[in-house]
Amino acid sequence: MTAAIDISAAALAAAARPLNGGPGDYDALMNLVGDARFVLIGEATHGTHEFYEERARITQRLIREKGFTAVAVEADWPDAYRVNRYVRGEGSDADANAALSGFERFPAWMWRNTDVANFVDWLRTHNAGVKAGPKVGFYGLDLYSLFTSVREVLNYLEQVDPVAAEEARRRYACFDHYGEDSQHYGYATGVGLSESCQQGVLTQLQELQQRAFDYMQADGASSEDAFFYAQQNARLVKNAEEYYRTMFRGRVSSWNLRDSHMAETLDALARHLSKDGTPAKIVIWEHNSHIGDARATYMGNLGEWNVGELARKAYPGQTCLVGFSTYEGHVTAASEWDGPAERKRVRPGMPGSYEELLHHVGVPRFYLNLRDESPARRLLLERRLERAIGVLYLPRSERQSHYFDAQLAQQFDAIIHIDKTEALVPLDATSGWHSGEPPETYPEGI
């Protein structure tokens, strides 16, 4: 360890709050959250057990102590809404495994894992005990479910307006040529081989919104929620159509469309859940790269924005952004897109990285407040390398595939470092996941 790292690590150690698994672990974080309406909790990988476990512990306290009534996650709207019904004691799913079975698209293990199943069961139990006031919901913010959302809009309209359902089916028939292959649609329209479905999906969303009052009068007590669910699916179809059409033009435009959709969905959810003058309070679970303010990273220099930045701008003083970090261990990830989940060894953090610096603090698990002015915050304003492991982990190209420049103390309001972490356990773990270290191949995915 160099003298500079030694001095910096000592300053961080003085500010670090050890996490020992006790009930008071996150007292300081609860104080930092204060009256914030939006707490965005990240993860440095999509496949680390401790990140999911600690995120659940924090969320449970936010629900019990601060009145949060929704968890919004980096997942598709229809799949998450099935879980929402389950945690509210609705629907026909017998257990958490069944409720999570809608998550079939790669990477299924992000949500079909033992940690999420445990948290979903906790939510259901908590809601069963709610005698007055709103139950806690579970919602998805992402936009990959184009074809599933088309079906959900049609299912809704068939119940409330069969004539409108036929018109919607005609508009959405534009997608029929692509065999539910979103990327095929994006390529064909993006390079001019086919006409886009843009006008039809926009018209469908507008017509649904215009008929909102009529449709919400059409059925019983759940009509407002049912309409909101359908409207969000229609909005998703519109935004997903544009996303897939632009994804072949470059990373920045498609990234910005996706995160704008997630921020838009969060805003719509907040309005929908705010009742009787009481603003809704929502916990958001996403990757660090989505919830850490993009302006503090190389992403911002490229012209990218993300949910964390957009939330801070839309709700000034009402957000709290919490990141996670790890130095080494194991992770569940794939080696290629659509590849199987594998249990892969996470290499030690690179020299010059935040991971290396936080490792030298010498505390196995700790919390750091990055918002309040302090020597520790000033240290973490220095631009360093930061690691992001998505659904792919490619150790052989680690520097190129997984590291970027960032200023941690501007990116997050707080950071939780867990020095050595373990892979989360998929509910559908294959023999490959159990077989140990797999071969390493090439890029990333967040």
Side-chain angles (χ1 to χ4, degrees):
M1 179 164 42
T2 68
I5 290 182
D6 197 5
I7 294 169
S8 297
L12 295 176
R17 292 181 176 266
L19 302 172
N20 301 311
D25 268 356
Y26 293 111
D27 287 353
L29 177 55
M30 293 300 115
N31 290 334
L32 184 71
V33 168
D35 295 325
R37 289 181 56 201
F38 303 92
V39 177
L40 291 76
I41 313 178
E43 57 186 4
T45 87
H46 277 320
T48 295
H49 156 67
E50 287 83 358
F51 297 160
Y52 282 73
E53 182 179 56
E54 296 306 299
R55 201 158 49 176
R57 289 181 66 205
I58 294 166
T59 302
Q60 287 164 0
R61 288 195 63 175
L62 291 171
I63 291 168
R64 289 193 303 251
E65 300 171 27
K66 292 186 174 288
F68 280 68
T69 57
V71 181
V73 304
E74 186 183 335
D76 291 330
W77 177 258
D79 301 338
Y81 209 81
R82 179 171 175 178
V83 179
N84 179 56
R85 293 188 178 103
Y86 173 75
V87 300
R88 291 170 175 273
E90 303 166 1
S92 58
D93 289 317
D95 54 28
N97 192 337
L100 292 164
S101 64
F103 291 102
E104 297 177 341
R105 181 183 59 79
F106 175 85
W109 74 82
M110 264 183 67
W111 303 111
R112 282 193 54 73
N113 63 67
T114 56
D115 292 301
V116 173
N118 290 338
F119 177 67
V120 164
D121 275 332
W122 182 90
L123 277 180
R124 183 178 169 97
T125 301
H126 169 83
N127 281 338
V130 172
K131 304 304 180 187
K135 294 183 177 182
V136 179
F138 187 93
Y139 304 92
L141 299 176
D142 225 330
L143 51 47
Y144 290 120
S145 61
L146 192 159
F147 292 99
T148 305
S149 290
V150 164
R151 287 194 294 272
E152 291 301 300
V153 173
L154 295 175
N155 288 341
Y156 173 77
L157 288 174
E158 283 166 358
Q159 296 174 39
V160 298
D161 189 343
V163 174
E166 282 304 309
E167 185 63 21
R169 186 172 286 105
R170 184 187 62 78
R171 294 184 183 118
Y172 288 150
C174 175
F175 294 113
D176 289 350
H177 310 292
Y178 304 99
E180 301 208 359
D181 185 338
S182 306
Q183 293 195 30
H184 180 202
Y185 168 77
Y187 178 77
T189 56
V191 301
L193 294 177
S194 300
E195 290 292 320
S196 82
C197 303
Q198 181 180 16
Q199 187 55 53
V201 298
L202 177 60
T203 300
Q204 183 54 51
L205 173 61
Q206 291 171 337
E207 184 170 296
L208 189 67
Q209 291 171 330
Q210 290 166 2
R211 299 293 306 277
F213 179 80
D214 294 337
Y215 291 160
M216 283 191 283
Q217 301 300 310
D219 54 359
S222 64
S223 60
E224 187 177 346
D225 283 342
F227 176 79
F228 179 68
Y229 174 64
Q231 178 182 236
Q232 288 306 115
N233 276 305
R235 179 181 285 119
L236 189 155
V237 172
K238 180 190 79 71
N239 290 341
E241 183 278 329
E242 185 178 5
Y243 172 81
Y244 286 112
R245 196 162 27 84
T246 60
M247 69 183 298
F248 292 96
R249 299 179 192 168
R251 171 187 161 95
V252 172
S253 57
S254 58
W255 176 280
N256 286 352
L257 275 168
R258 183 182 172 207
D259 275 55
S260 293
H261 170 80
M262 290 195 283
E264 183 183 349
T265 303
L266 176 63
D267 186 59
L269 186 62
R271 292 195 305 271
H272 176 68
L273 296 177
S274 296
K275 306 289 185 184
D276 303 321
T278 303
K281 302 175 81 171
I282 303 173
V283 188
I284 296 91
W285 290 12
E286 295 199 294
H287 196 280
N288 281 353
S289 57
H290 292 296
I291 68 99
D293 193 323
R295 293 170 293 183
T297 74
Y298 88 108
M299 295 166 60
N301 297 334
L302 296 175
E304 293 184 0
W305 56 71
N306 66 3
V307 175
E309 174 186 346
L310 295 173
R312 275 180 168 174
K313 288 178 175 177
Y315 302 99
Q318 299 181 64
T319 64
C320 184
L321 278 52
V322 183
F324 273 93
S325 170
T326 186
Y327 179 70
E328 63 181 341
H330 288 87
V331 66
T332 295
S335 292
E336 58 188 358
W337 195 260
D338 272 337
E342 302 166 353
R343 181 176 177 270
K344 309 183 75 153
R345 185 177 67 84
V346 176
R347 292 183 174 183
M350 290 184 65
S353 67
Y354 280 117
E355 289 76 16
E356 180 198 41
L357 177 59
L358 297 174
H359 167 67
H360 284 300
V361 169
V363 179
R365 300 181 179 213
F366 62 89
Y367 160 87
L368 272 175
N369 177 338
L370 305 182
R371 184 188 292 167
D372 298 340
E373 187 57 39
S374 67
R377 184 179 191 277
R378 288 193 291 274
L379 275 170
L380 298 177
L381 283 172
E382 296 175 6
R383 190 168 286 273
R384 291 176 176 268
L385 292 176
E386 182 181 322
R387 179 162 58 191
I389 298 173
V391 298
L392 308 186
Y393 182 44
L394 311 162
R396 289 182 180 175
S397 58
E398 179 125 25
R399 173 64 181 87
Q400 175 188 358
S401 299
H402 299 293
Y403 279 91
F404 59 94
D405 292 325
Q407 293 173 282
L408 200 71
Q410 289 186 345
Q411 191 182 3
F412 301 107
D413 295 304
I415 192 78
I416 295 165
H417 180 75
I418 303 175
D419 207 54
K420 189 167 187 177
T421 51
E422 188 46 72
L424 59 76
V425 180
L427 292 176
D428 312 302
T430 63
S431 58
W433 187 89
H434 293 287
S435 64
E437 190 69 9
E440 296 170 356
T441 55
Y442 194 66
E444 152 209 6
I446 291 168

